[in-house]
């Protein structure tokens, strides 16, 4: 349990004018004296570097430096860290000496262990000199390290043995430009140094560096105060008095991606518009291949123009050849020619997690599939689907007159089982068009039947409920959910989107897909 009585400097330290020094750098002068002079010259952070010193000596020097910082009234804005020796920093903090953290190298204790030893209040800086080391640092969880030290910029007196490695891993002087590349690649603020002298600073200040660090140019100077002032003024001349942000930028990362192959609904409430909004709201990256343009609004469909099959094929290829979708949602496909293209491309790209919403009639009553296409839909696309999501009228159309009308839960269940048996894919018969509680029933090819209880929302604006549900199912499958759970979560989302009672348009209006964030 540390006795460390000081407020954390994390998120408050200033990397702009960073002094590094140890007893071997100061030409015999006490380290604390050089620190005092550098602070008067504008130093903003101090690092004590005495890698091989006894703990007792480090503790004594640290106590003197902390006293100097406090003596100049700078304890609240000048952070003080110890280089490499996490043990010594831990000991100093336990003794109540204001050591705000550590700076560790690639060969020292690893960042996670350092963080767990020193706790959440300590500053942890990490050295890096190659793009690979920057990328490894970027991959650390947020909160492990606070900044990066890049260098040496030039071969230096204090580190002649240091491998000066460029971004490509080739050993050579890093230079200001090479350091600048590493700054640009880092998601943390970066302080750059190692052999830096005053005439490097203007160019360095034009990179994304957060500041310079210097050893000999200050610690070895006859007048450390003047030397510090010259470096600080050179920086400020270019960068003004602005400081760096402490918050690491988000790690570059992937996302599950989902492709919707569907029609465009100009009203924004159904079709690919509803699909993409749903995918965004459910945490996946949505992509689209458009099968038709429809001019529609909440009162009806005014006109439809099918996409040329060749451009539909290209859209699907373009997506699969770059960002492979973890799931595919198929919506409105109005012609056999377009269906054939989709079947060919999904087979060629070995698409998985295919959710097929057999769109036949818009909520407004307009027919959205040609007579010739229903047969193509069932013979060419159903075999590629993992699940089909017909509403009650669509299920009746797919099962034909012989099956009769679907009225009530038992008939819904029978219909789902019949569809799963006939087409060899899971079938979710949706209860929205029914009179009961908007529950849906899933029949899977292996015989499992699952009900998804609904709560009928008293809201006449249900435009796009089917598009929204099937897209949410696809999003959940892409995130790794099993089908029943994917449906359950999709239904929760949909019910919420209906429940906020968005009321737009003169007819059957759309839902609020962003309801969770309102
Ligand atoms: N008023 C409502 N309250 C709660 N859930 C509903 C309501 N209406 C529909 N749902 C649910 O919305 C989902 C879509 O079912 P619906 O029968 O509306 O599909 P659809 O007719 O294909 O929709 P669309 O008109 O967009 O094609 C189902 O889970 C259904 O239970
Ligand atoms: C483009 C399009 N796809 C699907 C539906 C189903 O509501 C619709 N109305 N419009
Ligand atoms: Mg529908």
């Amino acid at each position: 349990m540390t006795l460390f009585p000081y407020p954390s400097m994390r998120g408050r330290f200033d990397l702009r004018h960073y002094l590094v020094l140890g007893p071997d750098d100061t030409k015999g002068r006490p380290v604390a004296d050089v620190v005092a002079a550098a602070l008067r010259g504008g130093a903003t952070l101090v690092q004590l570097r005495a890698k091989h010193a006894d703990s007792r000596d480090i503790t004594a020097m640290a106590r003197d430096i902390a006293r100097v910082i406090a003596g100049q009234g700078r304890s609240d804005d000048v952070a003080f860290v110890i280089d490499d020796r996490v043990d010594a920093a831990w000991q100093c903090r336990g003794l109540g000496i204001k050591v705000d953290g550590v700076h560790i190298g690639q060969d020292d204790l690893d960042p996670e262990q350092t963080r767990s030893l020193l706790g959440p209040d300590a500053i942890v800086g990490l050295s890096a000199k190659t793009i690979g080391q920057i990328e490894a640092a970027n991959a650390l969880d947020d909160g492990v390290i606070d900044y990066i030290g890049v260098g040496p910029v030039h071969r230096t007196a204090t580190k002649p043995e240091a491998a000066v490695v460029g971004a490509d891993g080739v050993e050579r002087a890093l230079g200001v430009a090479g350091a600048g590349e590493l700054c640009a690649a880092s998601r943390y603020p970066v302080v750059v140094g190692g052999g830096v002298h005053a005439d490097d600073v203007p160019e360095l200040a034009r990179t994304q560096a957060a500041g310079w660090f210097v050893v000999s140019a200050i610690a070895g100077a006859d007048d450390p105060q003047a030397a510090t002032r010259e470096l600080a003024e050179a920086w400020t001349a270019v960068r003004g008095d602005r400081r760096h942000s402490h918050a690491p930028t988000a790690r570059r990362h992937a996302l599950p991606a989902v492709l919707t192959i569907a029609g465009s609904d100009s009203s924004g409430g159904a079709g690919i518009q509803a699909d993409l909004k749903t995918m965004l709201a459910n945490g996946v990256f949505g992509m689209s291949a458009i099968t038709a343009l429809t001019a529609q609004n909440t009162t009806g469909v005014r006109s439809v123009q099918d996409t040329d099959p060749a451009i539909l094929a290209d859209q699907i290829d373009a997506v699969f050849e770059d960002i492979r979708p973890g799931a595919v949602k198929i919506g409105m496909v109005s012609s056999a020619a377009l269906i054939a293209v989709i079947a060919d491309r999904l087979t060629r790209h070995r698409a998985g997690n295919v959710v097929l919403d057999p769109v036949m009639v818009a909520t407004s009553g307009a027919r959205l599939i040609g007579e010739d296409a229903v047969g193509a839909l069932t013979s060419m696309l159903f075999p590629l689907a993992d699940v089909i999501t017909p509403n009650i009228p669509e299920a009746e159309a797919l099962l034909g007159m012989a099956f009769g009308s679907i009225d009530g839960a038992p008939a819904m269940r029978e219909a789902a089982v019949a569809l799963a048996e006939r087409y060899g894919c899971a079938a979710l018969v949706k209860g929205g068009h029914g009179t009961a509680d908007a529950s849906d029933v899933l029949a899977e090819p292996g015989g499992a039947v699952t009900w998804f209880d609904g709560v009928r929302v008293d809201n006449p604006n249900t435009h796009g409920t089917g598009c929204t549900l099937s897209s949410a199912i696809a999003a959940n499958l892409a995130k790794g959910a099993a089908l029943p759970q994917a449906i359950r979560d999709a239904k929760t989302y949909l019910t919420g989107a209906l429940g906020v009672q968005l009321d737009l348009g003169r007819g059957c209006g759309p839902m609020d897909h962003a309801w969770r964030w309102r």
Side-chain angles (χ1 to χ4, degrees):
M1 177 63 186
T2 174
L3 303 175
F4 196 66
Y6 303 100
S8 172
M9 289 292 286
R10 288 190 80 187
R12 297 195 290 133
F13 58 87
D14 183 348
L15 290 173
R16 284 176 294 173
H17 314 320
Y18 187 137
L19 167 63
V20 177
L21 80 174
D24 300 338
D25 307 313
T26 58
K27 293 186 172 175
R29 293 169 293 193
V31 168
D33 291 358
V34 174
V35 169
L39 288 176
R40 288 191 293 271
T44 57
L45 198 147
V46 177
Q47 179 194 117
L48 171 60
R49 191 172 72 176
K51 190 174 179 86
H52 305 298
D54 292 347
S55 293
R56 183 175 308 194
D57 294 341
I58 294 179
T59 305
M61 284 186 279
R63 198 186 300 278
D64 292 343
I65 289 169
R67 278 188 186 133
V68 162
I69 294 172
Q72 293 196 23
R74 305 290 301 279
S75 296
D76 262 352
D77 65 309
V78 174
F80 170 36
V81 301
I82 290 179
D83 185 46
D84 294 351
R85 295 287 298 273
V86 177
D87 60 318
W90 182 85
Q91 184 175 298
C92 287
R93 289 168 67 84
L95 292 170
I97 299 169
K98 190 181 180 296
V99 169
D100 298 299
V102 289
H103 183 90
I104 51 177
Q106 291 286 325
D107 305 330
D108 296 316
L109 198 62
D110 80 25
E112 289 93 344
Q113 290 175 321
T114 301
R115 173 60 64 198
S116 65
L117 256 181
L118 295 183
D121 294 339
I123 295 168
V124 176
L126 174 67
S127 288
K129 52 189 168 190
T130 67
I131 197 74
Q133 290 172 355
I134 293 284
E135 286 169 348
N138 285 345
L140 292 170
D141 287 344
D142 285 354
V144 173
I145 64 172
D146 297 288
Y147 74 86
I148 294 270
V150 156
V153 169
H154 305 302
R155 288 197 182 283
T156 68
T158 54
K159 282 203 159 189
E161 81 292 345
V164 181
V165 181
D168 57 8
V170 174
E171 287 222 1
R172 60 170 183 270
L174 200 56
V176 173
E181 281 174 31
L182 299 189
C183 293
S186 168
R187 72 188 190 101
Y188 308 95
V190 179
V191 61
V192 174
V196 164
H197 28 79
D199 54 17
D200 286 318
V201 171
E203 184 190 355
L204 182 60
R206 281 188 281 274
T207 69
Q208 294 180 49
W212 49 257
F213 72 80
V214 148
V215 184
S216 311
I218 293 174
D222 294 339
D223 184 345
Q225 180 175 340
T228 308
R229 179 174 296 113
E230 182 187 12
L231 288 155
E233 287 175 349
W235 179 270
T236 306
V238 175
R239 292 281 279 270
D241 211 19
R242 287 188 314 280
R243 286 178 57 178
H244 54 82
S245 157
H246 288 86
T249 53
R251 270 177 291 184
R252 288 197 194 101
H253 56 282
L255 265 183
V258 178
L259 170 63
T260 171
I261 303 173
S264 165
D265 167 7
S266 51
S267 79
I272 62 119
Q273 287 81 356
D275 299 342
L276 294 174
K277 293 176 194 174
T278 299
M279 292 169 188
L280 180 68
N282 285 278
V284 298
F285 184 75
M287 305 174 286
S288 59
I290 297 177
T291 60
L293 291 178
T294 71
Q296 69 178 291
N297 61 27
T298 63
T299 64
V301 178
R302 194 164 298 188
S303 60
V304 175
Q305 182 187 65
D306 279 355
T307 301
D308 179 277
I311 187 70
L312 176 59
D314 275 354
Q315 289 177 82
I316 297 170
D317 290 348
V319 168
F320 269 92
E321 288 164 18
D322 184 32
I323 304 175
R324 184 172 175 80
V328 177
K329 178 263 167 103
I330 303 171
M332 172 191 172
V333 276
S334 61
S335 76
L338 290 171
I339 288 168
V341 161
I342 296 167
D344 172 69
R345 280 333 203 251
L346 293 190
T347 304
R348 179 183 306 194
H349 295 295
R350 298 189 310 286
N353 286 333
V354 177
V355 180
L356 197 161
D357 185 17
V359 174
M360 295 185 183
V361 178
T363 310
S364 55
R367 191 167 177 81
L368 294 173
I369 188 168
E371 285 300 335
D372 72 316
V374 177
L377 194 68
T378 56
S379 62
M380 300 171 86
L381 282 185
F382 277 28
L384 301 178
D386 291 272
V387 59
I388 58 173
T389 63
N391 59 30
I392 288 174
E394 288 156 351
E396 288 171 342
L398 289 168
L399 287 168
M401 299 297 283
F403 189 88
S405 67
I406 300 171
D407 187 9
M412 281 178 65
R413 184 187 196 283
E414 269 180 61
V417 170
L419 287 168
E421 284 171 357
R422 179 177 304 187
Y423 297 111
C425 62
L428 178 74
V429 174
K430 301 173 294 186
H433 291 242
T435 54
D437 55 6
S439 295
D440 308 337
V441 58
L442 174 73
E444 295 178 78
V449 175
T450 312
W451 277 96
F452 301 92
D453 295 340
V455 174
R456 184 167 290 280
V457 175
D458 179 13
N459 178 356
N461 298 305
T462 59
H463 182 58
T465 49
C467 305
T468 299
L469 183 82
S470 53
S471 296
I473 293 169
N476 295 331
L477 291 175
K479 291 188 288 184
L483 183 57
Q485 190 58 46
I487 295 169
R488 194 167 294 114
D489 293 345
K491 201 164 171 58
T492 301
Y493 168 73
L494 179 115
T495 307
L498 270 174
V500 296
Q501 303 284 344
L502 180 65
D503 189 11
L504 291 176
R506 290 178 290 112
C508 177
M511 293 170 287
D512 179 1
H513 290 88
W515 63 274
R516 280 181 174 142
W517 288 271
R518 297 280 182 231

